[in-house]
Amino acid sequence: MPKGLLPPWSYEELGLHPIVNASGHMTHLGASVLTAEVMAAMRKASAHYIDMRALKQVAQQRVASLCGAQGAYFTTGAAAGLVVMTAAVVAGTDPVRIAALPHASWVPNRILIPAGHMISFGAPVEQMVRLGGGVPTPVGAVNRVSAVQLEAAIDGATAAVLYVRSHHAHQEGVLALSEALAVTQAKGVPMLVDAAAEEDLRQYVAMGVDLVAYSGGKAINGPTSGLILGRQDLIDACYAQDAGIARCMKIGKEEIVGLTAAIIAYAGQDPEERIRRRAAVVDILREGLRHVIDLRIEMEQDRFARDLWQVKVGVQKQSRMSLEELYHGLLAGPPVIVPRRYDPEAGYLVLDPRALGPEEAIVVVQRVRDLMSGAGSREKDEG
Ligand SMILES: *Cc1c(COP(=O)(O)O)cnc(C)c1O
């Protein structure tokens, strides 16, 4: 019987297996592994009662100035960020409207979204918009949205335009964010950006977008939390939602401090160093897997993060181990290894370096080797 979660405890006692994460930062895999510094900051935060409003203001102000933004607002995740950004542009700071959400019986309440950006990140973007009182309104076709189309779609009922930066979003044929921004600025309509997993905390604010949401647990490597950056009046409107729907997305003092510590640490990192660390992990994977019999190794560059390479692993036709068996062998463990993507149609799976350390990359290489040589499956038979 597990002893429960009183210390000392382990995931294994609960019948769970810690995961070697070759899929990048994924909310469903626990988002991030926190550093000792962030954990120490959170422990300290938990030791005292504090005026939450004042703590938020201090933390958010520090983060805003680090990111070159007028203001910042913390919430539970980028998904909550979508809800609160929407609520901010639909209800503003009007207490009656804030209390009426998510049912906005007034205009403007429409949120225009390029059709190809109406994705699911695990839950639908448009549902988050509805939760914030917005009416999600697609613009154009999945594979074609022009500036002219966006301009024509904006009318008196338009509360904002939402642009999604994600590998899930269809981008070919869809106007660039800078082009969309030129349209919204000319029309005087706010531009909201979902940048959940994006790495640059300054870029979108510097471009002039009105609000942008990030996930605290993805690139920033913070606790499960979310961050909105942007224009002060709209950040004030985000704040005002704490008396409404944002109440069910509130974060604790530990996450406020942990997210702030993670952002300060992240902002202090040399991006070149991050690129080098990743490249070193990719090298271990590529070099370690290159000579494994019956494997095909290719490199793939991420569509947005041009400095991010991922390793594609395919299995030769004559191999006695199929790609499917390799994939399920990795998932079965031990150790449990989760690749970024398994694409049986195209015939490969993808390994992502972002959440892997060098030692874990070696574990991945060893496990793939064992599985391909039959040792991995024998082990399992014996176990
Ligand atoms: C992960 C993700 C989200 C949700 O982020 P959470 O922090 O898990 O709430 C929203 N949008 C996109 C594009 C994402 O990738």
Side-chain angles (χ1 to χ4, degrees):
M1 278 293 284
K3 288 191 308 245
L5 290 175
L6 288 177
W9 66 278
S10 67
Y11 281 122
E12 285 84 352
E13 266 177 57
L14 305 176
L16 304 171
H17 304 285
I19 287 165
V20 176
N21 180 5
S23 72
H25 293 286
M26 292 292 185
T27 299
H28 71 275
L29 298 181
S32 281
V33 169
L34 302 181
T35 63
E37 289 78 13
V38 169
M39 278 310 301
M42 292 176 76
R43 199 168 302 120
K44 204 157 195 171
S46 76
H48 302 281
Y49 294 99
I50 199 76
D51 180 334
M52 288 295 283
R53 202 175 166 78
L55 172 63
K56 272 191 225 170
Q57 249 153 6
V58 171
Q60 289 168 176
Q61 202 41 56
R62 286 201 68 174
V63 166
S65 63
L66 258 180
C67 300
Q70 290 177 9
Y73 174 86
F74 291 177
T75 182
T76 49
L82 289 171
V83 177
V84 175
M85 290 196 299
T86 301
V89 296
V90 170
T93 56
D94 179 337
V96 175
R97 290 187 165 187
I98 287 168
L101 292 186
H103 301 294
S105 56
W106 59 87
V107 287
N109 64 349
R110 282 174 185 256
I111 307 293
L112 305 184
I113 310 172
H117 289 195
M118 283 194 149
I119 58 159
S120 170
F121 51 82
V125 160
E126 56 183 295
Q127 185 175 34
M128 303 306 127
V129 167
R130 282 201 304 272
L131 198 48
V135 177
T137 309
V139 180
V142 166
N143 60 342
R144 187 151 296 276
V145 187
S146 67
V148 172
Q149 275 175 311
L150 179 61
E151 193 175 351
I154 294 175
D155 61 18
T158 305
V161 174
L162 171 64
Y163 198 96
V164 179
R165 292 286 290 173
S166 165
H167 63 279
H168 297 299
H170 191 99
Q171 199 51 53
E172 294 79 33
V174 177
L175 79 174
L177 176 56
S178 55
E179 297 172 271
L181 192 55
V183 172
T184 57
Q185 286 176 340
K187 290 277 192 176
V189 168
M191 169 63 86
L192 314 178
V193 174
D194 175 357
E198 291 289 292
E199 304 200 319
D200 193 328
L201 298 180
R202 305 182 68 98
Q203 175 186 4
Y204 299 110
V205 167
M207 280 177 84
V209 312
D210 297 281
L211 290 176
V212 53
Y214 293 89
S215 182
K218 292 180 179 170
I220 298 164
N221 222 55
T224 296
S225 56
L227 167 68
I228 299 174
L229 296 171
R231 238 171 68 190
Q232 191 62 55
D233 61 323
L234 290 177
I235 290 291
D236 291 344
C238 290
Y239 234 108
Q241 311 307 315
D242 285 356
I245 49 156
R247 177 59 187 252
C248 55
M249 303 158 205
K250 78 176 173 200
I251 78 175
K253 56 192 182 305
E254 298 81 9
E255 285 76 24
I256 292 170
V257 169
L259 177 59
T260 305
I263 291 170
I264 291 170
Y266 182 75
Q269 278 171 13
D270 177 3
E272 292 302 318
E273 177 56 31
R274 195 158 58 227
I275 293 167
R276 276 197 296 277
R277 249 202 332 264
R278 263 183 210 162
V281 167
V282 166
D283 279 349
I284 292 170
L285 294 171
R286 188 188 49 211
E287 290 309 306
L289 297 175
R290 211 155 57 121
H291 301 297
V292 176
I293 289 184
D294 291 342
L295 284 189
R296 269 185 299 113
I297 303 301
E298 282 171 53
M299 304 297 289
E300 183 172 76
Q301 194 169 24
D302 188 84
R303 249 187 324 142
F304 296 126
R306 303 305 294 171
D307 52 55
L308 171 63
W309 290 84
Q310 294 163 334
V311 182
K312 285 165 73 170
V313 180
V315 170
Q316 308 282 13
K317 271 212 179 65
Q318 73 275 8
S319 169
R320 58 196 186 90
M321 168 74 76
S322 70
L323 182 69
E324 189 183 358
E325 286 165 335
L326 175 62
Y327 176 64
H328 289 293
L330 290 173
L331 290 185
V336 176
I337 297 170
V338 182
R340 179 163 190 85
R341 206 162 74 236
Y342 167 53
D343 190 341
E345 289 296 311
Y348 59 79
L349 51 84
V350 177
L351 302 173
D352 186 295
R354 280 174 288 185
L356 287 177
E359 299 82 14
E360 289 169 310
I362 292 168
V363 168
V364 172
V365 167
Q366 195 54 51
R367 179 66 181 155
V368 172
R369 275 194 187 148
D370 286 351
L371 284 166
M372 290 305 290
S373 69
S377 39
R378 262 205 310 281
E379 238 167 57
K380 240 175 67 196
D381 291 344
E382 286 161 13

